[in-house]
Each structure stands twice: as C-alpha cells, then as structure tokens.
Amino acid sequence: MANTQWVAASAFVEWRDIPGSSVSVTRRDDLTMANLGVFEGQSDKVLEVIRSAYGIDLPRTPKIVTARGTSFLWYGPNQWLAVAAREQNRDLELELEPLFSGVASIVDQTDARAVVEISGHRARDVLAKGVPIDLHPSAFKTGDVAITHASHIGIVICQMDDNPTYQISMFRSFADSFAEWLFHSCEEFSN
Amino acid sequence: MRIQCPCCGERSLDEFTYYGDASVTRPNAFAPTAMSDYHAYVYQRDNRDGDHRELWYHAAGCHACLVVTRNVRSHIISDVRIAREVARERDAAALPGSTS
C-alpha cells in the first residue's frame, strides 16, 4: 500500500509575494489552534489550570501571552484562542482537552482560520487602509490584540513585535478575499 | 457615532448592530395577561426626548451585547455596560427575598 502523507492545502490560493523591503507578507499555514470557551462560573478554575500548566495568567483584556511555545489570545469575554507552531505534529486540541474537563470547552480551530503575517516599516500604512482601529504605537503595542474587521472581513489582529509584525487571522473561506485587498493595499509600497 | 465597548475599547458604529430598546423586558408568554403584556411590549413604545437605553451587539468585535445609554438629542453616550451583567442584576433584584 502506498504511504500517503496528507498535507493541508493553504487557505490562500491566489497568493503572491510582495517585492521590496518595506513590507513583507507571509502565510502561516504551520499553526495549530484551539478555542477555549469557559463554562458558566468556571473562569477562576480555568485561570488556575493555565497558571499551573503554563505559569501564566490568561489575559482578561485584549492581549496575547506566550509560554512554553503556546500563545493565548484574548478572544472575547471568557474566551481565548490558543495558538502554537505545528512542529512535531502538535495538536492543541488534544493537548488542552484533558486539562479542562468540566470547566471549559476546547474546539479545534486549526483548519477553521487562515493566518497571515504582515511586517516591515510600512506594515502599519498597509493596514491603515482597511482596518478601522488605531494602530499607532501609542494606541496599539506589541502584545495587543483586537477583534475588528479589515475591508469588511472579520479579523483578529495581534501585534507580535516592534518591527512591527502583525498576525491576522480570519475565517478560512475569506482568505483569498482578504489577500486580494492586502495585495492592493501593499502595491504602492512594493518596488 | 463611536461606542466605548467595555471589552474592546472605543470602536466605530460599523462594528455594531442595533438590537432594540433595552428598557423593555420580554413578558412571560404563559401568563394569563400575556396578550395585553405582549401588545404593550411590541407596540407601546415611548419616544422620549433625552436618554434612551439601547441594546447594541458588537458584531464585528467581541460579540458582547451592550446596554448603551444614549441621549437622542445630543447623541452623547453616558454609559455602556455588558447586557449580560445588567440582566443578571435585574434578575437578582426580582428574586423573592431580595433587598433591592
């Protein structure tokens, strides 16, 4: 029998790279993601589980915290999105599920959301053309998260570093629509 | 108009959906007076000058339902609270033996 290795297809089909050095865009097809939804009245317990397993406090405001190779994004009141690189076939749903029996639901989001990273010194200008929130460093800093929209597509945006690098995720089926807007927005900064 | 979401911070109107009057409570459909209660609930709305309490849903943000107190003459928003908490307080106050 043939040894078949299944490789997930990227959600971004109509993809191209942006020439030049002022802004770069990267598909992040290498992530595993899971949604953590707290059951009624169990939020203290959930915070404690994360504290003992990862040594961090889950953010109660729109922030991202990272520990032991796993990031937790604030994803709404009493909700978080866990994100990690899928190295060694990691699967966050399988990792988190046993920790939260009876206190929270863990739902795999790996193939539900498409993720892209935009970085470079013009990244902010590229995003400003479609993202309605203020991304100026005085208002949105490294570690900040916002649930908003870009060009009418619902996104979760997160600033990863001071480069700046922004990680943006959206529902998978919107990936190419988002990318089309992104490429148009990048055009004036490419050379 | 911009709304100060308690979860997300100040966001523009296009992230929100209007969900109606926050000052009315859906009546019990099984009460003997249900017919007249629902008539009042659906049709008899005041259009007062000044502050209105409105439900706004943060559809493109944190998905929280908010109770927004907005002055319909000046559009000044004086208070925004998470609707879930407002409803909990209302229900707790309605319980028999409650002090409030």
Side-chain angles (χ1 to χ4, degrees):
Chain A
M1 213 162 104
N3 181 14
T4 311
Q5 184 87 46
W6 294 100
V7 179
S10 176
F12 299 95
V13 181
E14 309 282 329
W15 188 259
R16 57 177 187 265
D17 292 317
I18 306 297
S21 58
S22 50
V23 59
S24 69
V25 294
T26 319
R27 287 178 288 187
R28 290 301 305 267
D29 296 325
D30 60 324
L31 301 174
T32 168
M33 289 175 273
N35 179 288
L36 196 166
V38 178
F39 292 157
E40 185 74 45
Q42 302 291 336
S43 59
D44 286 347
K45 236 178 219 152
V46 168
L47 261 76
E48 210 171 304
V49 169
I50 291 287
R51 212 174 289 136
S52 65
Y54 291 90
I56 49 163
D57 281 318
L58 284 174
R60 306 303 295 257
T61 54
K63 299 264 180 211
I64 180 172
V65 293
T66 303
R68 297 185 191 159
T70 310
S71 296
F72 293 90
L73 276 93
W74 180 89
Y75 207 45
N78 276 324
Q79 278 192 78
W80 289 272
L81 184 71
V83 183
R86 201 162 37 192
E87 54 209 4
Q88 282 110 42
N89 285 326
R90 274 189 78 180
D91 185 328
L92 273 179
E93 186 190 27
L94 298 180
E95 282 180 38
L96 295 172
E97 183 110 65
L99 301 175
F100 294 101
S101 168
V103 294
S105 71
I106 303 294
V107 180
D108 183 32
Q109 301 291 330
T110 305
D111 297 313
R113 299 193 74 84
V115 183
V116 63
E117 270 176 14
I118 299 143
S119 67
H121 72 277
R122 302 314 292 268
R124 205 169 275 127
D125 304 291
V126 166
L127 295 176
K129 284 186 263 180
V131 179
I133 62 163
D134 188 359
L135 294 175
H136 188 271
S138 64
F140 198 80
K141 299 178 175 66
T142 295
D144 281 348
V145 169
I147 310 171
T148 180
H149 52 91
S151 182
H152 308 283
I153 296 163
I155 60 159
V156 178
I157 181 167
C158 168
Q159 190 175 330
M160 309 302 282
D161 58 39
D162 292 338
N163 196 20
T165 302
Y166 296 97
Q167 196 176 81
I168 294 179
S169 75
M170 71 229 64
F171 283 139
R172 184 186 173 90
S173 54
F174 286 103
D176 273 333
S177 296
F178 177 84
E180 197 180 326
W181 166 78
L182 182 65
F183 296 145
H184 277 293
S185 194
C186 285
E187 207 141 275
E188 65 168 306
F189 305 115
S190 64
N191 47 46
Chain B
M1 194 168 89
R2 292 173 75 79
I3 296 174
Q4 181 76 32
C5 173
C7 305
C8 303
E10 194 182 275
R11 296 294 176 88
S12 72
L13 190 61
D14 57 358
E15 292 197 3
F16 297 89
T17 306
Y18 180 61
Y19 262 23
D21 190 345
S23 64
V24 291
T25 309
R26 194 178 177 83
N28 177 5
F30 301 102
T33 55
M35 197 61 117
S36 62
D37 291 347
Y38 268 89
H39 180 265
Y41 170 71
V42 174
Y43 296 109
Q44 294 175 341
R45 298 292 177 87
D46 294 328
N47 187 22
R48 276 193 294 266
D49 184 18
D51 281 349
H52 278 210
R53 290 175 77 227
E54 302 169 333
L55 285 169
W56 287 87
Y57 173 55
H58 199 180
C62 62
H63 302 284
C65 218
L66 308 173
V67 175
V68 175
T69 307
R70 180 177 68 96
N71 189 300
V72 292
R73 186 184 287 268
S74 64
H75 291 302
I76 289 170
I77 292 171
S78 55
D79 189 41
V80 183
R81 297 190 59 206
I82 294 177
R84 184 182 169 90
E85 289 168 11
V86 174
R88 285 225 170 109
E89 284 170 23
R90 183 195 62 204
D91 293 348
L95 282 176
S98 167
T99 48
S100 50

